[in-house]
Amino acid sequence: MISPEAGCPVYDVDLYDDDVLSDPYPHYRALRDLGAVVWLPRNGLFALARFDDVRAALRAPGLFSSAQGVAANDHVNEMSRGTTLASDAPLHDRLRAIIAAPLLPRALEEIGPQIRAEARQLVDDLVDRREFDAVTDLAQHLPLTIVSKLVGLEDYGRGSMLRWASATFNVLGTMNPRGCAALSDVHEMRSYLGGPAIRERLRPGSWGDRIFAAADRGEVEAERCPVLMRDYLGPSLDTTIFATANLIMLFGRNPGQWDLVREDPALIPGAINEALRVESPIRGFTRHLTAAAKIGDVTIPAGSRVLLLYASANRDERKWHDPERFDVRRRASDHLGFGNGVHMCAGLHLARLEMTALLEVLAERVVRFEIGTPVLALNNVLRGLASLPVRVS
């Protein structure tokens, strides 16, 4: 089939369908095999699924713009304009500088001991139990305990953070029933964070409080403060939680790889990169083309919306040898699990810190992960687990 829009291959499958979300990798391979650019008529999107093309697009924000939104639907793109995620320079740079300040490596050194101590206590408790859920008992603990305190949200906000974070990503897909249902949670989050009493609810000196302090100094408009607070939820919660649980699942399925990490904990950073490559928490976002772009043999028209599939790029056979194999010795630091370019995940250093702290203690205490049947958390944009029973020895 040939698309009349650009003369490129067509893949007549809804990438946001439940069956596709449950097992996306055969579809990603099909897209990569079809060509550098593929038209998705069910979604009204052009798709880039190969590593080099996705990375090049992420590094060309002037052409592959975020200012018109990064969702796969017009409604959310319209309502999200002007956020850190849905903006280009210079606005993006100004907003990101504010939210990224406490997430930089030097700033995180202050909370490193707290995170490592919390990780040790958590792992000791779970290992003593022998059986636990790698999602709800292990992966969720540090982000919910540490991040909620750092952001400064009170109990009500903390109790809602997971639901809000999941909804934030669901609405960035198509407006299928899952995306539509998530809109009410997104509006609830906006109402809470944008309410007149939010500043009084924040712990003094917290990340949220610092945003309002930046507005007091004239560094950002006061009306943008609730928007910036939302930026701490998704990047600090679901993505880290899913990545952590995926690590346990991969080590359970590949005990020889866990043996390597136990014997040499210096492999932990590489293991984290490899897990983010093999099971990328973020499937991908869209971009708006500001001008016509030729990719391979296809010229995509200006004004088109293009889906950049990070998770497919991370398994591209053109980039990686035996890409579906989990190998902690692989040099995978250039994976796209955190994105790339100016919109690279601002919370990546915090995520690495949390995962490293957990793996360091697990490597001391656990010889084997015996995993049960994983339960997938269906989300339009994220891929991760809702549950993973584990028995350790």
Side-chain angles (χ1 to χ4, degrees):
M1 297 177 64
I2 299 296
S3 165
E5 287 84 355
C8 71
V10 171
Y11 195 56
D12 193 19
V13 172
D14 176 7
L15 286 196
Y16 299 93
D17 179 78
D18 284 11
D19 290 340
V20 177
L21 296 180
S22 298
D23 186 17
Y25 298 118
H27 298 282
Y28 295 159
R29 179 186 288 271
L31 289 169
R32 294 193 301 268
D33 289 346
L34 278 170
V37 182
V38 179
W39 172 246
L40 304 173
R42 302 281 186 97
N43 306 125
L45 303 168
F46 289 95
L48 304 187
R50 297 176 179 175
F51 182 89
D52 286 345
D53 299 321
V54 173
R55 183 172 62 176
L58 289 170
R59 293 180 173 181
L63 178 60
F64 289 85
S65 171
S66 300
Q68 306 300 314
V70 299
N73 69 88
D74 292 338
H75 177 70
V76 172
N77 282 330
E78 183 64 33
M79 65 184 283
S80 64
R81 289 183 188 178
T83 62
T84 313
L85 187 64
S87 60
D88 292 333
L91 175 60
H92 169 264
D93 298 346
R94 181 162 61 90
L95 298 180
R96 185 182 173 100
I98 294 172
I99 65 165
L103 295 169
L104 296 175
R106 181 172 296 180
L108 291 175
E109 290 177 3
E110 298 179 11
I111 62 172
Q114 177 187 356
I115 289 177
R116 285 187 285 271
E118 190 75 26
R120 180 166 295 278
Q121 181 64 55
L122 172 65
V123 171
D124 285 345
D125 290 345
L126 294 179
V127 170
D128 288 344
R129 285 167 48 182
R130 297 297 178 190
E131 295 184 3
F132 56 90
D133 191 298
V135 180
T136 57
D137 296 327
L138 177 69
Q140 289 181 1
H141 183 82
L142 285 181
L144 281 178
T145 302
I146 301 295
V147 173
S148 63
K149 182 178 180 181
L150 293 174
V151 174
L153 289 174
E154 63 171 4
D155 290 343
Y156 173 75
R158 183 164 62 247
S160 303
M161 283 174 72
L162 281 178
R163 179 166 50 86
W164 290 345
S166 176
T168 298
F169 285 103
N170 261 323
V171 300
L172 292 173
T174 57
M175 276 293 99
N176 54 15
R178 186 169 31 254
C180 291
L183 273 176
S184 61
D185 287 330
V186 170
H187 288 309
E188 177 191 318
M189 175 185 67
R190 286 180 167 229
S191 176
Y192 176 79
L193 296 179
I198 185 61
R199 188 170 189 179
E200 286 70 29
R201 293 170 174 164
L202 295 171
R203 181 175 53 82
S206 64
W207 293 354
D209 186 57
R210 292 181 187 180
I211 289 174
F212 283 94
D216 292 340
R217 296 190 299 269
E219 297 172 10
V220 66
E221 299 86 346
E223 61 270 20
R224 294 192 188 275
C225 290
V227 175
L228 292 175
M229 285 190 59
R230 295 200 298 268
D231 289 334
Y232 285 130
L233 296 185
S236 299
L237 291 174
D238 277 8
T239 49
T240 306
I241 291 167
F242 286 165
T244 302
N246 285 340
L247 272 164
I248 305 305
M249 179 182 68
L250 289 166
F251 283 130
R253 291 175 175 174
N254 302 274
Q257 296 296 307
W258 181 239
D259 288 339
L260 292 175
V261 171
R262 289 182 60 241
E263 293 165 5
D264 183 9
L267 291 174
I268 287 176
I272 292 172
N273 282 332
E274 179 70 345
L276 289 164
R277 183 193 69 80
V278 173
E279 289 287 352
S280 304
I282 298 178
R283 304 173 194 275
F285 295 122
T286 72
R287 295 292 192 269
H288 177 263
L289 269 185
T290 59
K294 185 172 184 180
I295 301 174
D297 297 327
V298 174
T299 297
I300 309 177
S304 298
R305 189 156 288 277
V306 184
L307 175 62
L308 308 181
L309 287 166
Y310 308 173
S312 173
N314 280 336
R315 289 194 177 206
D316 185 1
E317 304 82 356
R318 296 154 192 81
K319 165 67 177 177
W320 315 99
H321 173 69
D322 196 6
E324 297 184 4
R325 181 168 61 91
F326 176 62
D327 180 3
V328 298
R329 290 176 169 169
R330 189 194 303 268
R331 295 183 177 180
S333 59
D334 55 347
H335 68 85
L336 303 179
F338 285 130
N340 202 271
V342 297
H343 280 278
M344 197 166 186
C345 177
L348 67 92
H349 299 298
L350 176 60
R352 289 189 191 279
L353 176 59
E354 294 178 33
M355 288 187 279
T356 299
L358 289 171
L359 287 181
E360 286 175 346
V361 187
L362 287 167
E364 296 175 8
R365 298 292 313 275
V366 174
V367 176
R368 281 288 178 271
F369 297 102
E370 300 174 32
I371 60 173
T373 302
V375 177
L376 191 67
L378 281 181
N379 188 286
N380 283 336
V381 171
L382 299 177
R383 178 173 174 81
L385 303 176
S387 175
L388 178 66
V390 176
R391 179 177 177 82
V392 296
S393 58

